Structures are given as structure tokens and as C-alpha cells.
Amino acid sequence: MISKGQKRKLHDDVVGGMRSATWESQRQSVLGISLDKYHRGKALVEPSLRRSVLIANTLRQIHIENKPPYGLVNLAGPLPPMVPSNPCTHRESGLGVVNSTSGVEDMEEVWMSSESDFSLSAAVSSILKELDLTVDGGPGPQAPQRTPFMSIENLPRDMGLKQAPTCYLQDVKLDELFHDIDTSVFDREMGVRALSAAASDELLKYLPSLSSVPSTSPSPFSLNQSFRDLNELEHIMEILVES
Amino acid sequence: MAGVAGGNDFQWCFSQVKGAIDEDVAEADIISTVEFNHSGELLATGDKGGRVVIFQHEQECKNRPHLRGEYNVYSTFQSHEPEFDYLKSLEIEEKINKIRWLPQQNSAHFLLSTNDKTIKLWKIGERDKRAEGYNLKDEDGRLRDPFRITSLRVPVLMPMDLMVEASPRRVFANAHTYHINSISVNSDHQTYLSADDLRINLWHLEITDRSFNIVDIKPANMEELTEVITAAECHPNQCNVFVYSSSKGTIRLCDMRTAALCDRHTKFFEEPEDPSSRSFFSEIISSISDVKFSHSGRYMMTRDYLSVKVWDLNMENRPVETYQVHEYLRSKLCSLYENDCIFDKFECCWNGSDRQETLALSLFKAICTYNVVLWTTFLPICKFKEYLWRIINDPLFPSFLSAIMTGSYNNFFRMFDRNTRKDITLEASRESSKPRATLKPRKVSTGGKRKKDEISVDSLDFNKKILHTAWHPKENVIAVAATNNLYIFQDKIN
């Protein structure tokens, strides 16, 4: 089924406050195709960086162009995308995934679109995070010291930072949710015993390692919590993937 | 005056096809790069199986001088083997991404071939003599006992059957974390650059254990990565200048004299986007897949998904010429995105030399065009030559032949004549493969009504793509790679 690419008339759409049906359907299909390409699992051969970057940019563009249409009120609160993301804090606050879906039609629509926002931004950042880890074999952040006369012999920075790629690939669904969390916002909004950014980072680090290396034992508190979280997260992922 | 795109005098005709005819194409046989050497005598192809096949142009038959000679296999060797990167648990493909010939300096030929990670310098030499009569070795190679030797002799060189040997002379490895997409030999013939997705390195041909990193666009945080390097090339005359293109449709020209690390460009070429044609795929189709300097070095040509653009190096804000390759695909971008064809990287090439003129012809044109006669009587001959040289190198002076070629789908390839502004679509197919059969122009119907002999857009075979083409440096002979077959076409000599 070939869907025609439409010349999108930006001004008409925004001014009118409504998206044209064809643009929206194309947006949905491009979104679906992009996520599908991303989720399709890695071949044995290293994926093309150019292709991944272009797909990520396309997803980003869809995300940017999916700002709530002008005039539609956001009933779910100031930051609905964050609601399903952190199971710990939203349990505290009482706003569960289930709660927010039951409600006004508009709210659900906004929540669903922000759900796709969430999955988009999560997917975009995780594509690149994964690329970093896959290609470089280690955390990306530090820029290598570079002098014009450096001999690039064995790329020493790759040597000690070996990851178990298969383990990482299994965990990617969890990580993808975690990397996008901005818990500092929740701290402000909910003001409960929210995890500090540092504590939540700790938790994030432990959670992936739990499923791959059962022998590591973090503190008992986070252990129990995170097992519950894992199930909850998988449940959330199912919903997101199906949407 | 006829140009390559048609006209009464000029036609392309079939010359040869190399490769198997089977419907089932082995993945390893798919041609991944094609390159003529500087004289045009040799034609090299690389394939996905890591092999390099070199064809040599046979001399024309003495009794049939009007026929151009054929290209026959000269040498075949395995350039790269598949490797496994144990650190990342990933395979490194042996596919040959690029081949570049070095200018010939002696009787042997040298070329650089590269896969995703490693570049190799190969020497292809001929051997037609061998030494016989060694003292310490028998004729069959067994060592002789030195104490049994009672007399000495001088080995003599005896002729033997011609043997073409390819041997790896240098291996340039471990310098690229990402996939190498380009190599380019510098005009100093001593250095070359190699480019991967995020970095460009400068090598000396003699030194394999280190290289200079001259461009690095890797961000500190990989999540911020939005642009990669797609192609790079050295300037044909100025050994300090090179360009590299990006996935966002920009080209940066860098001068190596300004800094050791050329992260800041000297010139930045980008065409402003047309807001009326914006779509979700605007960025993907703007990604440049190939960049080639013209032989004079004044222009460069870039290929993006739907078009070929010619840029004047002195004008950064837009190209001087744009040629649409297959504009009818613009409405199909969504499905091309779905089947991944939108990521295909087409190459492009200039015709042999920008100016195929002899000095006499130039003089004739100059006299007719510029009324030079008046001036010659007052100038000494050296000044006159200088004046004439400046005239024929003036960009306004019409060149004899300036054409560009690039590939498309359905085994179509396109040629654009820059003088006549005409273009032509030809097909590389077995059906039109009779010796010296003239190629018939093809047309894709875009409107509702399909004329006879036209093909509709929906009938195009997107698995038959022509990504790699090459033009002989001196003659009108072209090599077109269609999956696993190599087609050679030439112009009809009337």
C-alpha cells in the first residue's frame, strides 16, 4: 500500500487549529515505520550510523511537529508525559497509568499523544545512547584527548569498557524508559519523598544490572521496589508498543 | 553541436557486459565500486565479497581500427576478508566500499581499496621473466647441498607466460571507529585521506602505524549527534584543500593550512530549503551520497537522493546547476522510506575531462568568438599563448563536452549535458546487449497516460539499482555496475 507523500501546508494547519487528515495519517505511518525500524533488532553486522541518525532525526521532527494543537487544553496537568514514566513517584502521588486513562475523552487524547511523545523522545534518545554504547563500547561522555600527532593505533578507550551486548539488548526496553526521566520536575511538582536525582540514578544503574547479573545486591529497599517496577514497566511498554 | 544526451552524431551503444546471467544473484557478487585508472587502460571493480577484479583494455585490432578494443580480466584478488570484532561482537563486512588508483609512476600499478575499517595499498605488477639456474636451488625448488656444488653459474632471465600478481604493500588499520565511506588520494601523490561517519584522517602512503586526524565531528554526548559525514574528497590541484559532505545536505571545504584540526570550515555550502516542498523526508533526501570535484577544480558536484547539483566553489549559498534525476519519486517517498530505498547511496561522475579540446581547436574557437586576430599582431607568441590559455579557461568559454552521469532504479542511469542542457535516460539490461547495439532512450511516465515504450513509476524495479558508474578519463567509454553485472558502453564512432 503506497501512501502518497503530501506537501504539507503548514500555515493552513496551524492557523486553522486542525490537522488535516492526510497529514495526520502520514505522520502516524511515518512514526510507525520509524519505530518499527528502530525496534527491529540489530543485525549481526554493525548498523549504519548514517541510517540510524537519519531515522532518529525523522522521529525528532515528528515529535517537534506534534506540539498540542493550538487551543486544545491540556487537562492532564502540566507534564503528562512524565506521568507514566516513573512508577515510584507516581504511585506516591496517586496518579497511576490506569487513572489517567479513565477520564475525559480529550484528556485521553492528549495523554495518548503525549504517550507517543514520550515513546518518541525515549526512542530518539535511546537510539543514540545505544549507538554510543554499541559503537564505542563504553559510556560516551568523555571526549578523547586529541592532538594532531596522536597515533590512533588500537583505540585504547575501547579496550576496558567492554559491555555484554546481548545483555544490553535485552535491557534496552527498560533503559529506554529510564533515560528520559526528569525526576527533578516531579520533585518540584509532587514535593513528596521523591528520589533525588542522584538516588534515582543509582536506582537506574541497578535496575538493568538486576536482570542481567542477579548476583549483584543493591540495598534491600530498591531491590523489592525495582522488582515490582520491572513488572509495571513491562506492562507500560506493552501499552506503548501497541499504541 | 551534439552532446551526450542525444543528437544526430552522438549515440551510446553497448560494448560488453561482465558477470553471471543467473537470476539468483549471490550477495558476494554484487559490485560495490567501479573505478578507471588515470589512463583508462585499467578498470577496477570491487564487490561485496571483498574481491577486486581488474580489467585491462586490449589494444585495438590492427585490421579493424575503427573498433575500440575490449576490456578483459587482467587480475583478480581477494582484497579484504570478513572479520569479527570481538569487543563489540559484530562482524566487519569485507565489502569493498571504495577503490582509488594512484597515479602511475613505474611499470606497476597501485591502488587503494577499503572496506568499513581497513585500507590496503595493493601493487599489481606483471612478471614475464623468471630467473633460472640458481646455484643453491634445483629447477624444482629443492635446496642443493652447498658442499656438493663444484661450480658456480650466473642465473639467467628466461621469458615466461605473463603473470599478473597483486600483492598488498601497506595495510592501514585501526584508525576508524566508524564505517569508512570515502578515500581520496591527494594531488601531492604522497598522502591520502579516509573518512568515516564522524572523522577524517590524513595518511601518508608510506606510514601505516599512524595518521593525522583532521576532522572530528563526534559530539561529547552521542545523544546530541544529528549529522554524519557522508563523503570526502581532496581537491584535484590544491593539496591543502578538501571537502566533506554531510547527511544534512551541507558541504564544508577545509584548508589544511589554517589549522592542524580542521573542525572549522573555510567554506560552507548549503542550499536553503524550499519551504513549499518540505516533508518528513526533507532531511533524508537532502543527505549527500557523493561529492566529486570537476577536473579543473573550479566546480564540485554533489548527489542527493533526487538530484545532482553542481556548485561553484566561489559561491556558497546555492548551486549553479541542479539536475533532477528521478523527480517522479518525490510522491513515493513514504514507501521508499518503508522499504529502505530512501537510504540508497547513489554516486555520480563527470565525463572524462572537462575540456576535450586540442589547442588548435581552442585557437579556432577563440578567433571566431573573441576576434583575437586583432590582438595577435601586437603580442609576442608567448603572451599570445598565455592570453589564449586564459580565454579557454574562462568559465564563460563554452567547453567542448561537459557532462555528468548518475544512476537510478530499474537499471536506469541518467546523463546530463551541461552545454546543451539536455538529458537522457538509458538502461543497462541484457535485452539491449547486442554488440554495438545503440541504446534506446528510456522514459518514465509520470502523468496518467502512459505512452508506448514508457514505463510507469509503479512498475519500476527498485531492487535493480545503479549506484556505481564510472567514465573513462579520456574517451567516451562508460562503465555501469548493475547489481552483479558490469556493463561497458561506448559512443558510436561514425
Side-chain angles (χ1 to χ4, degrees), chain B residues 453-467:
Chain B
D453 284 350
E454 284 188 0
I455 184 168
S456 71
V457 184
D458 296 315
S459 318
L460 294 173
D461 188 342
F462 289 96
N463 292 321
K464 292 188 184 170
K465 44 192 100 173
I466 291 183
L467 304 172

Side-chain angles (χ1 to χ4, degrees), chain A residues 9-48:
Chain A
K9 295 177 174 53
L10 173 64
H11 304 292
D12 291 343
D13 288 338
V14 171
V15 166
M18 303 278 286
R19 302 278 190 198
S20 70
T22 45
W23 182 86
E24 186 57 40
S25 74
Q26 198 202 29
R27 185 192 154 272
Q28 278 301 113
S29 66
V30 174
L31 170 61
I33 295 167
S34 304
L35 285 175
D36 180 47
K37 283 184 189 301
Y38 164 62
H39 283 300
R40 197 169 285 178
K42 300 281 183 281
L44 192 56
V45 180
E46 210 168 329
S48 159

Side-chain angles (χ1 to χ4, degrees), chain B residues 183-241:
Chain B
I183 47 175
S184 179
V185 183
N186 212 344
S187 52
D188 61 8
H189 303 159
Q190 291 182 349
T191 57
Y192 73 95
L193 60 75
S194 60
D196 67 26
D197 291 318
L198 297 178
R199 299 191 177 103
I200 301 180
N201 293 333
L202 183 72
W203 301 83
H204 192 282
L205 284 165
E206 299 292 328
I207 299 170
T208 60
D209 63 353
R210 74 188 80 114
S211 66
F212 288 99
N213 177 241
I214 51 177
V215 172
D216 187 335
I217 64 168
K218 180 172 186 264
N221 182 1
M222 275 293 271
E223 286 188 15
E224 293 163 8
L225 178 67
T226 56
E227 194 174 7
V228 298
I229 298 171
T230 52
E233 195 176 55
C234 290
H235 192 278
N237 306 326
Q238 299 169 36
C239 56
N240 51 295
V241 171

Side-chain angles (χ1 to χ4, degrees), chain A residues 5 26 34 37 44 46 49-51 57 60-61 128-129 132 135-136 140-141 146 148-149 152-153, chain B residues 88 90-91 174 178 197 212-213 218 220 222-223 226 261 263 278 280 283 331 334 337-338 340 343:
Chain A
Q26 198 202 29
S34 304
K37 283 184 189 301
L44 192 56
E46 210 168 329
L49 184 66
R50 167 183 167 262
R51 194 188 118 107
N57 289 350
R60 214 179 261 134
Q61 187 197 339
L128 294 166
K129 200 79 173 170
D132 184 20
V135 177
D136 265 355
R146 190 163 61 97
F149 302 92
I152 313 173
E153 288 185 69
Chain B
K88 299 173 200 163
L90 291 168
E91 274 185 8
N174 299 328
Y178 304 96
D197 291 318
F212 288 99
N213 177 241
K218 180 172 186 264
M222 275 293 271
E223 286 188 15
T226 56
L261 305 170
D263 284 355
R278 182 157 174 69
F280 290 113
E283 183 180 317
S331 55
C334 199
Y337 179 58
E338 195 170 7
D340 269 1
F343 298 108

Side-chain angles (χ1 to χ4, degrees), chain B residues 399-416:
Chain B
S399 62
F400 189 62
L401 175 67
S402 185
I404 54 187
M405 171 168 64
T406 189
S408 177
Y409 293 105
N410 208 69
N411 279 352
F412 287 171
F413 59 99
R414 304 263 286 137
M415 256 187 233
F416 302 95

